[in-house]
Amino acid sequence: MTAELVRGQNHPLSQVRLVIRISAGAPVLAGATLGDEKGTVHGPEWVAHPGATTLPGVEVPRRAAAGHRLTVDLGAVPEAVHRVAVFLALPTGAGSPARFGAVAAPHATVEGLDGTELACYTLTGLDSETAVLALELYRRQGAWKVRAVGQGYAAGLTALLADQGLREAADVAAAAHGAVAPEEAAHGLSHSLQAPASAPSAHEASARTPKDTSTAPPHDTSASAAHVTPAPGPYDTAAPEARDAAAAGTPGPTPSFARQQQEPASPYDARSPYDPQASGASPPDPVVRVDYTHPGRSPHGTPPPAAPADDDRPAQPVAGDAVGWSMEERLYNQVWGMFEDLARTTAAYRSAVDFADSRLEKELDQALTDPRGRLGTAGDAAREVAHARRTQLVDQARAVLDRDLAQLTAESEVVEPALPPAYARWDNPVWHGYRVPAEPPMALRLGDLHLPESVPLRIPLLVRLPLERGLWLDSGLAEASGGLPDSAELRYLAMEAGAALAARLLAVHPAGDFAVQIIDPAGTGVAAFAPLTRTGVLAAPPATGAAGATETLERLTRRVDLVQMAVRGGAPESLPADVDTARQLLIVNDFPHGFDDRAVTRLRYLADEGPDVGVHLLLVADREDAAAYGPLLDPLWRSLTRLTPVPDDHFADPWVGHAWTYEPSLVPAGSQVVHQVLTEVARALTKRG
């Protein structure tokens, strides 16, 4: 999974041997510093730069270039080192840019040695700075994480190093710049990073792709959304020959029963954005990345029964036909494989249609430029032939798409009934036999995704547990017209969706392992939250009024602080008896109603620090209601995964950037399934005491 970070955001690292790739709009020099627990750099021997490229566990390039490759082995850094900071600086030679604001924003990608992209960050917002602290790898509670820093320094590398406590900052900065030859600074020659023989990676390509600054990165409308270019493959649309082949019937997705002979595919990015500039239009809402962790479908699934030799019908799909140690994991990976297949076969179809349209336009232009075709019937005949050829190409591509959709639909019809409660829709019969689980699930269903070409086929939107990001149910769509509910109904639907999500989280965790608390300052969610309050599954009654909101936030902030201190001290069992160690979901309704500045600060703290120690946020809010806070709340919105109570196309896949329509997972009208499930949860909580 690739996490696309925004400034200040962190992400855990699953590997300690890393490659950090830098791409910039002009030649830059790259280096790294080693810091202690406070981030202090104790001497020149703790700085890797072009004049001293190697430190224990760290190696940086010797030259200035627009592309760099740094290697880091966190297992080899000294015990005293708790932070590894990666910095960039503009060369001081003639011909170099005077500031970062004059060139394209640098982009940093953290990869494992196997090429798996773990995290990335685009350093937007730079202006007069000539040096910038890009990323920080830091040790926390025995595990390593990466943080997007993006701190720039107009005074250059000297100021950057001095800010980290290095007394010899000026000397080290001079040595770093002095190691870069003037001609290298001007032309970006780099012998430390050889040009790859293959196509550039997805994020290297994205750094050269125009970005739409009118839309948001994940979960926000205030920053630019990077476009991800998938690596070349059977659906690559770069060459006309490929588009022609697709139009002539290039095979679409391989069904699960045929994937038995294939190696698992590696995802390029688990939170890839949609670039609206590709179509010349800007979507009204922020682009959200689907938070999957996909090991890929593998040849380890159970193969279906072999068909007779004289039977040319396709083999029937099988639920759980993917890699995994358990049926739950195999179903999770199978759903991801279906998601990828639908994205790619739709890309092939759209590419074929685009090629057919461009070919038609070219042939019509040729007919018009030929003087012999302007008069008489020759021109009409040429146009008819061109239109007929276009229709034939589109029909062939549609036939392939329909075949693939039929295969995926058949697979979905087998997979959906087999899904466990955490993955299942509320109308799935699995809920009628619900029992409180003994173990938490690996993922949770947030809703469904579909494309315009495949409206009947829904792909479950699954996110891994525990939640790494909070959730935001947007109760105020910008375009609430054309048949959409009015503002009051949207708010109520958002509260209902929030209650359904909370009920699902309670139901899929063991009794006592997960708790839900509600802040409802104005009491507008009484009806929507009734299933939670009537069954007695809440940790406490919903907090109302400003005083109730303040008291709940104080209690949860204290819990976060105490758990962090206990874990850092290596004594998690020493927590006070009044601290609930269960994971907590805080639902905040009608934000920011009832919140003062101090309460808003505490809420931001919980959103940033809470997930690491088991406190998660579910915000039910209209962003326009918080407009008075201005940019103060931008980090909060960016840190949350945006969901909507009605269908909305703000999600995108990580391969080709389709705009997928999201639909929330709601309880069927008149159904008592949630009440029955929560009653069972309450009974288990009572037995547990």
Side-chain angles (χ1 to χ4, degrees), residues 276-347:
Q277 288 195 1
S279 59
S282 298
D285 296 305
V287 174
V288 181
R289 282 67 165 169
V290 180
D291 186 12
Y292 278 110
T293 303
H294 171 46
R297 302 209 198 183
S298 86
H300 300 298
T302 303
D310 58 349
D311 189 354
D312 59 356
R313 293 176 300 175
Q316 296 302 307
V318 177
D321 191 12
V323 67
W325 292 102
S326 64
M327 186 62 172
E328 180 188 20
E329 186 177 2
R330 292 197 296 271
L331 286 168
Y332 174 85
N333 292 335
Q334 187 171 13
V335 168
W336 172 265
M338 294 165 59
F339 179 47
E340 179 178 356
D341 287 347
L342 183 54
R344 292 192 180 280
T345 191
T346 305

Side-chain angles (χ1 to χ4, degrees), residues 235-259:
Y235 305 103
D236 185 13
T237 61
E241 296 82 358
R243 295 195 295 267
D244 203 1
T250 300
T254 308
S256 64
F257 41 81
R259 293 186 206 105

Side-chain angles (χ1 to χ4, degrees), residues 134-329:
L135 297 173
E136 181 182 62
L137 313 176
Y138 65 99
R139 197 195 325 246
R140 183 174 182 180
Q141 300 173 5
W144 286 92
K145 294 187 176 184
V146 58
R147 177 185 288 118
V149 181
Q151 177 64 53
Y153 295 84
L157 186 55
T158 300
L160 184 152
L161 296 174
D163 197 33
Q164 298 187 41
L166 181 63
R167 296 180 180 178
E168 303 87 347
D171 294 338
V172 175
H177 285 294
V180 178
E183 64 272 12
E184 293 167 357
H187 302 290
L189 301 176
S190 178
H191 303 287
S192 61
L193 178 62
Q194 298 180 358
S198 59
S201 68
H203 290 298
E204 290 170 340
S206 71
R208 298 191 295 269
T209 304
K211 298 173 175 58
D212 183 4
T213 56
S214 66
T215 61
H219 329 293
D220 185 68
T221 60
S222 62
S224 63
H227 175 71
V228 173
T229 305
Y235 305 103
D236 185 13
T237 61
E241 296 82 358
R243 295 195 295 267
D244 203 1
T250 300
T254 308
S256 64
F257 41 81
R259 293 186 206 105
Q260 300 290 332
Q261 306 302 324
Q262 297 181 355
E263 291 297 324
S266 297
Y268 302 111
D269 185 356
R271 295 176 183 172
S272 161
Y274 161 64
D275 184 3
Q277 288 195 1
S279 59
S282 298
D285 296 305
V287 174
V288 181
R289 282 67 165 169
V290 180
D291 186 12
Y292 278 110
T293 303
H294 171 46
R297 302 209 198 183
S298 86
H300 300 298
T302 303
D310 58 349
D311 189 354
D312 59 356
R313 293 176 300 175
Q316 296 302 307
V318 177
D321 191 12
V323 67
W325 292 102
S326 64
M327 186 62 172
E328 180 188 20
E329 186 177 2

